[in-house]
């Protein structure tokens, strides 16, 4: 059921495979006035289009490394500006950015110039053994960023996107080896980032292993803090 919202500027934080993309899709359905940007989806679209940025991103992504703070921040801020989100009362959500303190500081400075600071950060806390099981079964539709899982939310027709019927693919960074590196990068960067947002008093954490546990907590947080 859709509900009204005061302007929400939300960051979803969490380990690779914790369900940021999945929870984003569910929140957008529940609150149609929210829009979202995923740094990973933007990069995968650039790779698919074969742009110079995509070629560079491909090297980092396929080896499980983070792109430079300056490069990714420029990409996201340009995207936010093009959508005119910083100069309006729009409600929006970021998935996958910022993920270092440097990125958070650069974003804070830019949003501060527009009096449009983030007003909620939610950390999705999912045990690593649960995450590893999920990744083996993940398939994606790159143009839209839609995410499937062969056991949790399989496509209606095997191998095809539910909306467009286009083929689904496996991500190049979902191999056992690269996924391990991504988890390591996350563990290295997350604590300072959490500390950064805890200081500004906008950090919340939701913990759980299943969709039925995480999603209601997220809806409650958004409704309580931003519902009208
Ligand atoms: P990115 O695309 O952001 O990947 P990530 O953060 O590693 O997160 P994932 O997309 O893997 O997982 P998710 O949390 O969205 O989980 P999902 O919903 O798919 O980044 C990729 C790369 O781009 C980075 O490694 C880096 O190189 C680069 N990059 C991106 N942002 C950057 C930045 N800011 N700075 C520098 N570099 C950057 O769920 C996972 C699976 O589990 C799915 O199959 C799903 O169906 C299933 N699932 C989800 N929830 C549940 C549930 N509740 N129960 C059962 N299954 C579930």
């Amino acid at each position: 059921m859709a509900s009204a919202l005061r302007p929400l500027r939300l960051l979803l934080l969490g380990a690779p495979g914790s369900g940021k993309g999945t929870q984003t899709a569910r929140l957008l359905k529940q609150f149609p006035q929210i829009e979202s940007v995923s740094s990973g989806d933007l990069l995968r679209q650039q790779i698919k289009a074969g742009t110079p940025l995509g070629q560079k991103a491909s090297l980092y992504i396929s080896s499980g490394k983070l792109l430079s703070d300056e490069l990714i921040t420029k990409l996201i801020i340009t995207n936010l500006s093009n959508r005119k989100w910083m100069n309006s009362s729009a409600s929006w959500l970021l998935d996958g950015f910022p993920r270092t303190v440097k990125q958070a500081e650069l974003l804070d400075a830019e949003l501060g110039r527009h009096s449009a600071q983030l007003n909620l950060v939610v950390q999705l806390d999912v045990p690593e053994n649960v995450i590893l099981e999920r990744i083996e079964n993940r398939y994606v539709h790159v143009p839209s960023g839609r995410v499937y899982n062969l056991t949790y939310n399989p496509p209606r027709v095997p191998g095809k996107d539910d909306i467009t019927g286009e083929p689904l693919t496996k991500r190049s960074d979902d191999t056992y080896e690269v996924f391990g590196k991504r988890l390591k990068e996350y563990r290295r960067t997350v604590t300072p980032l959490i500390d950064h947002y805890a200081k500004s008093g906008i950090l919340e954490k939701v913990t759980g292993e299943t969709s039925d546990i995480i999603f209601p907590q997220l809806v409650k947080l958004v409704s309580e803090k931003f519902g009208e």
Side-chain angles (χ1 to χ4, degrees), residues 17 20-22 39 44 65 96 99 103 138 171 182 211:
K20 301 180 293 295
T22 301
S39 52
R44 282 182 286 278
K65 289 189 186 138
R99 62 217 266 164
Q103 292 175 18
R138 171 161 65 181
R171 280 174 42 174
R182 289 164 57 202
S211 48

Side-chain angles (χ1 to χ4, degrees), residues 12 101 142 215 218:
L12 273 189
V101 171
V142 170
F215 187 63
L218 266 176

Side-chain angles (χ1 to χ4, degrees), residues 76-94:
I76 299 290
I77 287 180
T78 303
N79 195 280
L80 295 180
S81 301
N82 289 345
R83 293 163 178 251
K84 307 205 184 323
W85 283 357
M86 291 185 280
N87 296 315
S88 71
S89 56
S91 283
W92 44 266
L93 176 171
L94 300 177

